[in-house]
Amino acid sequence: MTYGILILWKRFSNSYVKNELMAEIENHCIKHGIYSQAAYDDYQKNKFAKNSLYIYHGHAESDIPVGIEYEVIARMGEYGIIQPDSVQECHSKVLNFFTQYPMQPFYQADLGYHGLSLIQFEKEIPPMIYELEEVMQKESMNWTTQICLGSKEGIQRIINKDMALRELSKVLKDFGIKNTNDFYYVSNSLDRNSDSQICCDIAHKSKEEKNKNKFCQVIDEQIIKKYNLTQKEAEEIIDKSLDSFWQKRLKL
């Protein structure tokens, strides 16, 4: 099963962990009862693990189990786009996840929620991690830097989708297609088996017969095939490219 990437927002200082965070976790366990005895036992075993940090992570793309291992680390730039030149090999493992309110050890990060995790790095804590803002006192969880952990294949597929999105946005612009609202119907008609049929559907909306074949060929060969996109991935980038937010802000 694919669990996707884990996006990291902040790291906790050792002093804050020892003086505040651990006490808060224990108090919640006493007050509310232990949610998972196995998770609590793992926390007691791991809480001072070598080469580990308590990290505040972003919303999980799916339920992510404790013990998941990641292969690479990368920076995420504006709008959450992974910076390809920042990807580095970095073996890591999530030792513990914690519920958000009240905070205590849990056996997974739940889909859609953000919260605390204890992550151990195989060799040493990578310098990139220290770019995350450090939590030294109790405060609201705003963030300015995002770093992600993932598998090599998973990170590369996200990079490919981002690059494909940029190229598709260029294609739409080059073909002079102005009314992107006309294309929203595509999102609801992608249950066909053929990617080329997707292209034909989009091209049909260009309203210029002479451009249809060329438009279809550009999208199919230069984007879908070039980046080896699946049906679902093709749907995602088409949908994003039609969003005026992306059209205006991506640097084409």
Side-chain angles (χ1 to χ4, degrees):
M1 181 176 179
T2 301
Y3 295 105
I5 64 175
L6 186 65
I7 301 175
L8 313 181
W9 285 347
K10 290 197 175 191
R11 59 187 172 91
F12 289 78
S13 70
N14 290 333
S15 60
Y16 181 80
V17 169
K18 293 177 181 178
N19 298 329
E20 300 287 342
L21 189 62
M22 288 182 173
E24 182 179 352
I25 291 170
E26 293 294 350
N27 288 338
H28 285 154
C29 288
I30 294 171
K31 181 177 180 180
H32 300 281
I34 295 173
Y35 290 164
S36 167
Q37 187 64 50
Y40 181 80
D41 291 344
D42 282 342
Y43 162 68
Q44 292 298 333
K45 179 177 66 176
N46 297 325
K47 60 184 179 182
F48 297 115
K50 183 180 179 181
N51 295 334
S52 65
L53 278 178
Y54 289 80
I55 300 286
Y56 194 70
H57 65 259
H59 299 85
E61 298 176 337
S62 63
D63 292 342
I64 304 177
V66 161
I68 188 169
E69 297 183 17
Y70 295 106
E71 301 171 300
V72 294
I73 188 171
R75 294 185 184 90
M76 303 184 79
E78 198 171 16
Y79 311 119
I81 295 176
I82 293 175
Q83 299 175 359
D85 60 353
S86 73
V87 178
Q88 300 174 14
E89 186 171 320
C90 175
H91 292 272
S92 58
K93 180 179 181 179
V94 178
L95 300 179
N96 294 99
F97 281 118
F98 301 81
T99 54
Q100 189 173 18
Y101 301 113
M103 186 184 300
Q104 64 162 280
F106 204 51
Y107 51 82
Q108 68 180 23
D110 289 337
L111 167 66
Y113 289 89
H114 50 82
L116 183 70
S117 52
L118 175 59
I119 301 174
Q120 184 177 50
F121 299 91
E122 184 178 74
K123 296 180 180 179
E124 61 181 5
I125 297 172
M128 192 184 299
I129 286 291
Y130 292 105
E131 297 174 14
L132 294 172
E133 185 177 347
E134 186 176 32
V135 177
M136 303 184 71
Q137 60 184 6
K138 200 171 185 67
E139 57 184 4
S140 59
M141 289 296 177
N142 297 319
W143 65 93
T144 56
T145 302
Q146 297 186 88
I147 291 172
C148 64
L149 301 175
S151 67
K152 292 179 181 178
E153 180 182 2
I155 292 290
Q156 188 58 55
R157 292 208 71 84
I158 293 173
I159 291 173
N160 286 351
K161 284 164 59 179
D162 288 337
M163 295 175 69
L165 172 59
R166 290 175 179 273
E167 289 202 27
L168 180 55
S169 296
K170 288 181 181 179
V171 169
L172 294 175
K173 182 178 180 181
D174 291 344
F175 272 81
I177 299 169
K178 305 299 183 183
N179 188 6
T180 56
N181 288 331
D182 285 347
F183 291 90
Y184 272 105
Y185 89 102
V186 177
S187 299
N188 299 318
S189 63
L190 291 180
D191 55 350
R192 301 175 176 84
N193 294 323
S194 170
D195 284 332
S196 58
Q197 183 61 52
I198 297 174
C199 302
C200 290
D201 287 342
I202 302 174
H204 178 71
K205 281 293 184 178
S206 69
K207 304 184 188 305
E208 294 186 29
E209 191 70 33
K210 63 181 180 180
N211 283 336
K212 285 184 182 180
N213 291 336
K214 182 179 177 183
F215 189 58
C216 176
Q217 183 178 359
V218 167
I219 295 178
D220 189 32
E221 294 183 2
Q222 295 186 17
I223 298 176
I224 294 177
K225 289 182 179 178
K226 177 179 178 181
Y227 293 105
N228 192 29
L229 299 177
T230 64
Q231 183 85 2
K232 182 179 179 180
E233 290 169 340
E235 177 181 354
E236 288 175 356
I237 69 157
I238 288 170
D239 190 48
K240 279 188 176 180
S241 71
L242 306 181
D243 190 320
S244 61
F245 176 87
W246 286 85
Q247 290 283 356
K248 291 177 182 178
R249 289 168 174 77
L250 282 178
K251 297 178 180 178
L252 305 177

